[in-house]
Amino acid sequence: MAALPLNDDYPVRRAPVIAFGLIAVNVLVYLVSPQAATAVWYPVDMVGRFCAIDDYFMRWGAIPDEMLGRTDLAGPLMPECGGIESKSVWFSVLSSMFLHAGPMHLLGNMVYLFVFGPVVEDRIGKLRFLGLYLGTGVVAAYGFALVDADGTVPMVGASGAISGVLGAYLVVQFRSRVTTLVFGVIPMRLPGWAVVGSYFALQYLLYVTSSTAPGAGSNVAYAAHVYGFVAGVIAGLVVYRLRWRSGTRLSDVY
């Protein structure tokens, strides 16, 4: 990761209940998932554990083939596993936002949510922030499904929704300065718009140039990041539009 945000200098005036609550839910879901060492109730043998992980992601992950109605139920990733017999596809689009493949995947996403989430929540209000998070996450998932329509590998992670938060941040609070570790070691205070703008530029570049882009088996859903970010920008502009029409300041919105 070329740049890691550490802190935003915007003075948040209210406890970011939703942002911190989402972080707590993401962490808790990971701790009880079969790939976490804390989930001791899953099989301890290697094959049993792998099959438990396979079943877990196939049941709760968002699979493009299923989302677009191209198949009723995708088969297991590992042939030796039995697969699942039933699944709520529409709910898996939501549940996939709270699943993570490993601790570093979780940590990377939660750092961005911790830095930018409270700012956006304070600027647009708690309920709108929750709607933004979930709504842009859904858009990100379906955006990825459209460009990887034949995909049978589950998409998991909060990065689509968090990209939406970054997109909204670009609209509602781009004037902040963000303390960032550049190249992972050099601390710098950079304009907020530069940090989130460079994030989008990198994701878009990887999406359009990588040989493992949509449909080629990439283990990173760059398209979801791009669609989520664009959806966040649009949502941020809509909130501003509503503010102008109602004469309400964003700081007055709960």
Side-chain angles (χ1 to χ4, degrees):
M1 185 177 296
L4 182 67
L6 300 177
N7 178 63
D8 181 281
D9 67 2
Y10 174 78
V12 175
R13 294 154 294 180
R14 306 179 186 93
V17 176
I18 302 300
F20 287 173
L22 288 169
I23 292 173
V25 171
N26 275 280
V27 172
L28 179 62
V29 168
Y30 178 76
L31 292 178
V32 300
S33 64
Q35 72 272 26
T38 50
V40 296
W41 48 86
Y42 286 101
V44 294
D45 63 287
M46 183 175 296
V47 174
R49 194 74 168 201
F50 282 162
C51 284
I53 295 172
D54 188 300
D55 290 349
Y56 181 78
F57 285 131
M58 295 302 291
R59 179 178 298 279
W60 304 114
I63 301 176
D65 213 15
E66 296 175 352
M67 294 165 62
L68 300 179
R70 299 167 66 91
T71 184
D72 291 332
L73 201 63
L77 296 176
M78 297 176 58
E80 59 266 40
C81 300
I84 58 176
E85 298 180 357
S86 63
K87 174 180 181 178
S88 175
V89 174
W90 70 266
F91 185 76
S92 70
V93 177
L94 293 175
S95 61
S96 67
M97 302 180 203
F98 299 93
L99 274 57
H100 290 85
M104 296 309 297
H105 185 204
L106 173 70
L107 179 62
N109 280 338
M110 293 306 100
V111 166
Y112 274 82
L113 184 55
F114 178 80
V115 172
F116 297 103
V119 177
V120 177
E121 179 180 337
D122 190 71
R123 294 290 285 161
I124 70 175
K126 294 178 174 28
L127 293 180
R128 286 181 177 175
F129 177 75
L130 180 60
L132 169 81
Y133 185 91
L134 298 177
T136 55
V138 169
V139 171
Y142 274 98
F144 178 75
L146 289 174
V147 298
D148 191 19
D150 295 325
T152 56
V153 176
M155 180 179 66
V156 299
S159 53
I162 294 171
S163 294
V165 173
L166 298 184
Y169 175 94
L170 185 62
V171 176
V172 304
Q173 190 54 38
F174 61 89
R175 292 176 295 274
S176 292
R177 298 190 72 83
V178 179
T179 302
T180 306
L181 281 182
V182 179
F183 302 117
V185 294
I186 306 172
M188 298 181 65
R189 292 183 72 245
L190 302 173
W193 62 266
V195 176
V196 298
S198 62
Y199 166 86
F200 175 75
L202 176 61
Q203 299 306 308
Y204 184 78
L205 180 65
L206 291 171
Y207 164 54
V208 298
T209 63
S210 175
S211 61
T212 58
S218 172
N219 62 351
V220 179
Y222 296 119
H225 303 172
V226 172
Y227 279 99
F229 190 95
V230 172
V233 170
I234 295 172
L237 290 172
V238 169
V239 170
Y240 259 47
R241 176 79 174 173
L242 292 174
R243 181 194 65 163
W244 291 334
R245 294 186 65 181
S246 66
T248 303
R249 296 177 302 170
L250 284 178
S251 58
D252 295 331
V253 175
Y254 291 84

